[in-house]
Amino acid sequence: MTAANRPEFLELHNGAKAKLPFAEAEYEHRLTALRGLMAAHDVDAMLLTSMHNIAYYSGFLYCSFGRSYACVVTAAGCTTVSANIDYGQPWRRGYGDNLVYTDWQRNNYWRALRSLLPQARRIGIEGDHMTLAQRDLLGEFLPGVDALDLNREIMALRMRKSAAEIELIRGGARTADIGGAAIRDAIAVGAREIDVAMAGRDAMELEIARAFPDSELRDTWVWFQSGLNTDGAHNPVTTRALEAGDILSLNAFPMISGYYTALERTLFLGEPDAASLAIWQANVGAHELGLSLIKPGATCSGICAEINRYFDDLELLQYRTFGYGHSFGLLSHYYGREAGLELREDIDTVLEPGMVVSMEPMLTLPAGMPGAGGYREHDILVITDGGADNITGFPYGPDHNIVPD
């Protein structure tokens, strides 16, 4: 192949289309809503670049490895733009069309995008995802095109889940319960954190393979923490061996076609001391209070204020480490969630039927204090017309999660 005929971009329809996480009607419903947003803001096209939004509108969940990806939505089409290293997989696992850019020369990604936007005068972008370098290249390859940041508006479209999404999320929560049971069964003095984590991960991946045989089997994981390692919610797994008396943190995260769900529980290996038991019970009380507050019409900030008052009355508020919950849907530790639906002081979003949120209070007492460690419980709730449906089944609290040493 000579330099003269090396393509900048091309179509690669290799094989047949795969079964996607949702039916075509679901993707069309999402695209119709997005096109309504585009019309309201007078944009000719939407340039989506984040993993979560590309997956939401096309079903394709990319693996970046430093490369750029996109989904261009116009009034008539939906086209993903992917790197040649992925060959035909993005077309097979995506709704709509696909354009592949090559690496024969730098910035072929932008040349591919330019070919999809020949008449665009105004486009919507995700300002929270586009880097300054990419913003400069947009100006170079699409001169005169006005770029409007619509990331918050796009996020709002994702906040209310469809029936199909809720069904998938329920399957994820059920899978997390299976992982939790496997984790609990693997806990023993001398077992390492990594040994326990692998037991939970394997159980969840086997269940996903059974219940969702057409899904992509990737990214399911467990954070199982012990002792001092429980102080942070996202602390990585270590090779530390469990000891009698340890505080433990069980965190099971099944991933089904980009949809993450979670189960998080405090446990003890052997009977906890009095100080630890008191903190654990206090956090369980906050969890139960929070569960009772999640209903249509409640505000994120209002729920947060009530739990803050509860902890303040117990003189524990200073040990709270983060907000009390967040949205669920297309979500992962690799990519974003709906930041407008977090149970924090600065979020005033009103809960509505179809939203899905967690309740997950956490207290962390530093080393050297009585009851030191991180305590966290986590359930997932679907907001309904009359209240909320808790779809997490694994039990919580001292009555259920003290493992004999």
Side-chain angles (χ1 to χ4, degrees):
M1 179 182 289
T2 65
N5 60 10
R6 291 172 182 169
E8 297 171 339
F9 48 87
L10 67 156
E11 292 184 344
L12 279 173
H13 295 178
N14 192 42
K17 285 279 193 179
K19 185 176 180 180
L20 296 180
F22 301 102
E24 290 188 5
E26 173 74 12
Y27 292 106
E28 281 299 320
H29 175 75
R30 297 177 184 187
L31 289 167
T32 297
L34 184 64
R35 287 169 179 141
L37 176 64
M38 291 162 54
H41 290 272
D42 189 29
V43 300
D44 305 307
M46 194 72 74
L47 174 56
L48 304 172
T49 49
S50 66
M51 293 181 75
H52 46 283
N53 274 324
I54 293 175
Y56 186 78
Y57 288 103
S58 75
F60 168 56
L61 185 66
Y62 68 73
C63 177
S64 174
F65 256 115
R67 294 174 173 87
S68 298
Y69 291 76
C71 179
V72 176
V73 178
T74 63
C78 173
T79 305
T80 54
V81 176
S82 58
N84 198 26
I85 192 171
D86 299 313
Y87 210 75
Q89 189 259 0
W91 178 79
R92 290 195 302 274
R93 300 200 68 89
Y95 181 70
D97 296 323
N98 171 256
L99 198 60
V100 172
Y101 71 92
T102 70
D103 60 2
W104 293 120
Q105 60 179 324
R106 188 176 297 277
N107 294 325
N108 278 346
Y109 168 75
W110 281 101
R111 293 181 179 92
L113 289 177
R114 184 172 59 191
S115 76
L116 295 171
L117 300 166
Q119 306 299 325
R121 54 180 179 79
R122 182 174 165 91
I123 63 172
I125 63 170
E126 298 179 70
D128 61 334
H129 187 267
M130 182 170 286
T131 65
L132 292 174
Q134 292 286 49
R135 187 65 178 83
D136 289 342
L137 288 168
L138 188 155
E140 177 182 340
F141 283 87
L142 298 172
V145 174
D146 183 25
L148 179 65
D149 178 16
L150 292 175
N151 82 86
R152 292 185 180 181
E153 291 80 0
I154 301 168
M155 172 190 69
L157 292 178
R158 302 196 318 270
M159 280 167 42
R160 290 188 65 169
K161 313 304 175 190
S162 68
E165 283 184 283
I166 291 172
E167 181 180 359
L168 181 61
I169 292 168
R170 286 180 182 276
R174 179 183 53 77
T175 302
D177 287 342
I178 291 171
I183 291 168
R184 194 183 191 282
D185 289 347
I187 293 170
V189 172
R192 300 174 302 172
E193 288 183 3
I194 184 62
D195 300 322
V196 179
M198 286 191 295
R201 183 203 63 205
D202 289 351
M204 291 190 291
E205 289 190 332
L206 287 170
E207 175 58 18
I208 293 169
R210 184 199 68 80
F212 301 90
D214 297 309
S215 66
E216 296 182 347
L217 295 171
R218 60 166 166 166
D219 298 334
T220 291
W221 84 103
V222 169
W223 283 322
F224 179 76
Q225 301 133 348
S226 64
L228 182 63
N229 198 30
T230 64
D231 66 344
H234 300 160
N235 292 1
V237 174
T238 75
T239 59
R240 180 184 182 272
L242 307 189
E243 300 175 2
D246 273 346
I247 184 173
L248 309 172
S249 188
L250 177 162
N251 308 272
F253 306 113
M255 285 285 290
I256 305 170
S257 298
Y259 281 73
Y260 140 119
T261 47
L263 169 69
E264 301 173 11
R265 290 289 186 259
T266 297
L267 304 94
F268 270 81
L269 183 49
E271 290 292 329
D273 59 66
S276 298
L277 183 61
I279 300 300
W280 192 5
Q281 290 172 329
N283 200 56
V284 166
H287 184 61
E288 293 177 339
L289 172 61
L291 293 175
S292 74
L293 296 171
I294 295 177
K295 62 188 69 172
T299 64
C300 294
S301 56
I303 292 170
C304 184
E306 289 293 326
I307 304 174
N308 280 349
R309 278 192 284 272
Y310 167 85
F311 276 142
D312 201 26
D313 288 344
L314 296 176
E315 299 183 349
L316 292 172
L317 185 58
Q318 66 271 33
Y319 301 117
R320 190 200 88 169
T321 59
F322 56 87
Y324 297 114
H326 57 78
S327 67
F328 272 82
L330 265 167
L331 167 65
S332 169
H333 54 328
Y334 295 139
Y335 48 88
R337 61 187 182 222
E338 292 96 30
L341 193 52
E342 297 196 26
L343 305 183
R344 297 180 5 169
E345 291 86 349
D346 58 334
I347 305 294
D348 296 320
T349 302
V350 178
L351 299 187
E352 301 176 15
M355 292 178 173
V356 182
V357 297
S358 62
M359 172 49 56
E360 50 177 307
M362 181 174 182
L363 294 173
T364 298
L365 275 69
M369 287 190 64
Y375 301 76
R376 186 169 69 261
E377 314 294 344
H378 179 297
D379 287 17
I380 301 174
L381 297 96
V382 177
I383 312 302
T384 64
D385 291 332
D389 183 10
N390 190 334
I391 62 174
T392 297
F394 195 91
Y396 60 82
D399 291 341
H400 303 283
N401 289 326
I402 297 175
V403 180
D405 58 18

